[in-house]
Amino acid sequence: MSVEVRTADGITEVVLDFPPVNALPVRGWYDLAAAVSAAGVDPDTRAVILAAAGRGFCAGVDIKEMQRTQRQQGGHEALLGANRGCAAAFAAVYDCPVPVIAAVHGFCLGGGVGLAGNADVVIAAEDATFGLPEVDRGALGAATHLARLVPQPLMRAMVYTCRTVTARQLLAFGTVLDVVPPGELREAARALAEEIAAKDPAVIRLAKQSLNGIDPVDVKRSYRYEQGFTFELNLAGAGDRARQAFVDGKQQ
């Protein structure tokens, strides 16, 4: 299990590899944040590709780790670690001084939506689906980022029902740049990264800064606001019940 970093020709690929479904443990979120941040501060980096190995892009947090840690140690340290780690990783993608391209295949759920929603550009495989199962897991969060991918009314319906949408639907909204066959995903992401990398790096870095500066939503503050309700659900016991039902196989 790792966050792999590969750099060539001014392009850094950050690849999630946490079998079987890329549900990241607490340490994984911090490692991802560190990898993206390090790539961005390197003056030789001109673009970052965020991708994943295995069956899907990202299934969010490792709920089994969270429940196991809570049972062994008590308290909410695992929940706090996951929430802070997610916030750090999402912020690293958003604040990265160079454009971040998310190459999404398979499932993009929960924290995966947080990563894709904060990326500058999303290129998706034909099999990609996006959604937030948070309500079924007794949590809230990443609606901030889902709202950057789908219209507001659909975002609300997706939060309430935990339904997913396809890459083709997002392409129609214009929030995914392109949809390609799964075997061509990395190549398509690389081609876009190379196009960006060919531009004047000083201009591109200021372009990223300027676009973040005119963003109508403070994604970091709004996401932390959402997370506050997850803590409230845990204090009421609802969060733990829902997570344990998932671990016990009572939820899909």
Side-chain angles (χ1 to χ4, degrees):
M1 298 193 298
S2 65
V3 175
E4 300 175 4
V5 179
R6 310 161 186 168
T7 301
D9 302 322
I11 299 168
T12 296
E13 284 189 313
V14 179
V15 182
L16 304 178
D17 191 5
F18 292 84
V21 295
N22 282 323
L24 272 62
V26 171
R27 183 71 261 161
W29 290 105
Y30 284 108
D31 289 347
L32 173 57
V36 173
S37 296
V41 299
D42 184 343
D44 292 330
T45 302
R46 300 195 174 197
V48 171
I49 297 172
L50 180 58
R55 293 160 48 191
F57 179 71
C58 180
V61 302
D62 187 340
I63 293 176
K64 293 181 179 179
E65 178 201 45
M66 190 181 297
Q67 289 304 96
R68 182 174 62 252
T69 302
Q70 185 167 324
R71 293 290 179 263
Q72 292 172 350
Q73 301 178 6
H76 297 291
E77 287 306 309
L79 175 68
L80 289 168
N83 280 8
R84 289 171 177 165
C86 283
F90 299 170
V93 171
Y94 186 78
D95 289 333
C96 185
V98 299
V100 177
I101 302 161
V104 178
H105 74 286
F107 43 79
C108 181
L109 303 172
V113 168
L115 297 172
N118 264 5
D120 292 275
V121 182
V122 179
I123 294 179
E126 292 170 338
D127 64 353
T129 57
F130 300 74
L132 293 183
E134 266 66 1
V135 164
D136 283 344
R137 307 293 184 258
L140 295 167
T144 289
H145 312 94
L146 183 60
R148 297 165 70 84
L149 298 173
V150 303
Q152 186 77 205
L154 178 56
M155 178 273 288
R156 287 174 176 261
M158 290 175 67
V159 169
Y160 299 148
T161 65
C162 301
R163 294 181 184 179
T164 60
V165 294
T166 67
R168 287 287 177 193
Q169 288 173 279
L170 297 190
L171 182 65
F173 298 141
T175 53
V176 160
L177 180 66
D178 201 4
V179 176
V180 300
E184 299 176 13
L185 178 62
R186 295 285 189 90
E187 182 182 351
R190 183 83 189 181
L192 176 62
E194 289 174 351
E195 185 177 351
I196 294 170
K199 307 296 184 183
D200 185 322
V203 177
I204 289 295
R205 285 175 177 258
L206 283 182
K208 174 66 182 275
Q209 186 176 341
S210 70
L211 291 174
N212 279 8
I214 63 170
D215 205 318
V217 176
D218 183 338
V219 295
K220 290 180 284 186
R221 185 171 65 179
S222 62
Y223 176 59
R224 293 297 281 172
Y225 175 81
E226 288 185 81
Q227 286 185 318
F229 291 95
T230 293
F231 292 124
E232 187 173 322
L233 287 168
N234 275 275
L235 290 174
D240 185 55
R241 289 195 302 272
R243 289 194 306 273
Q244 194 59 43
F246 171 77
V247 171
D248 293 341
K250 296 175 183 178
Q251 287 185 5
Q252 296 299 315

